């Protein structure tokens, strides 16, 4: 059953390039309610754990280095069909393949530095949301 929630991060590239406001505007304009949000930075250990599923991939080192390179915005978003709708809003992992008008098409620079994260399933949305937020930080 869908939880109607997904988890997102505005990644260090988009934060450094000054796109936090524009990305949050796109997210809320698309009907997502922000139920938890924080401005933070991942430690090496945080990034290795969060992306543990990718630890055998050739890009893992690059991914961890990038995700710890600066501040991020982490948030839990609520909307009917949240996981699927949010993935449509952000577009393909590689911005070169992302549809016009998607967040990655507008703000990402490469497959590694792709501006935003979106959970790929309800199960991962719950795991990723709990990684960043305690119950009393979710409203
Ligand atoms: P995301 O879906 O948020 O989480 C996994 C990340 O790994 C993905 O975004 C990309 O930023 C990154 N990634 C996936 N494939 C590659 C790749 N071939 N090279 C570098 N980074 C990648």
């Amino acid at each position: 059953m869908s939880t109607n929630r997904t988890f997102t991060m505005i990644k260090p590239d988009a934060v450094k390039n000054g796109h936090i406001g524009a990305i949050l505007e796109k997210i809320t304009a698309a009907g997502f309610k922000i139920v938890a949000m924080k401005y933070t930075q991942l430690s090496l250990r945080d990034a290795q754990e969060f992306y543990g599923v990718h630890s055998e991939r050739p890009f893992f080192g690059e991914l961890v280095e990038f995700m710890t390179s600066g501040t991020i915005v982490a948030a839990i978003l609520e909307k009917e069909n949240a996981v699927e709708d949010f993935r449509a809003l952000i577009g393909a992992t590689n911005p070169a393949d992302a549809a016009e008008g998607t967040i990655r098409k507008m703000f990402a620079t490469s497959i590694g530095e792709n501006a935003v994260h979106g959970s790929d399933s309800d199960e991962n949305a719950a795991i990723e949301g709990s990684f960043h937020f305690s119950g009393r930080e979710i409203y």
Side-chain angles (χ1 to χ4, degrees):
M1 197 192 84
S2 170
T3 58
N4 293 335
R5 283 186 178 172
T6 192
F7 171 77
T8 188
M9 292 181 285
I10 301 178
K11 298 186 180 184
D13 58 325
V15 172
K16 284 192 186 112
N17 292 330
H19 297 316
I20 293 175
I23 291 173
L24 290 177
E25 170 61 25
K26 292 270 297 174
I27 290 171
T28 52
F32 291 88
K33 180 182 172 207
I34 297 167
V35 297
M37 184 162 69
K38 66 174 70 163
Y39 186 59
T40 186
Q41 183 160 2
L42 295 176
S43 68
L44 187 62
R45 185 190 280 190
D46 289 334
Q48 286 171 336
E49 188 182 334
F50 186 90
Y51 286 111
V53 59
H54 296 302
S55 63
E56 302 303 317
R57 302 282 190 93
F59 57 82
F60 183 65
E62 194 185 314
L63 174 61
V64 167
E65 187 179 346
F66 166 61
M67 286 303 297
T68 56
S69 69
T71 48
I72 62 163
V73 175
I76 298 175
L77 307 174
E78 198 168 77
K79 181 184 183 294
E80 202 175 306
N81 204 33
V83 166
E84 204 178 311
D85 286 2
F86 191 69
R87 286 174 75 80
L89 179 68
I90 66 179
T93 306
N94 187 343
D97 302 328
E100 280 306 323
T102 59
I103 291 176
R104 283 173 171 155
K105 185 69 173 185
M106 294 173 74
F107 302 113
T109 48
S110 68
I111 190 168
E113 305 204 358
N114 63 356
V116 282
H117 169 80
S119 304
D120 64 4
S121 65
D122 287 340
E123 187 191 5
N124 283 336
I127 293 169
E128 292 170 0
S130 327
F131 184 90
H132 284 272
F133 297 97
S134 66
R136 61 184 293 277
E137 294 176 298
I138 303 169
Y139 296 93

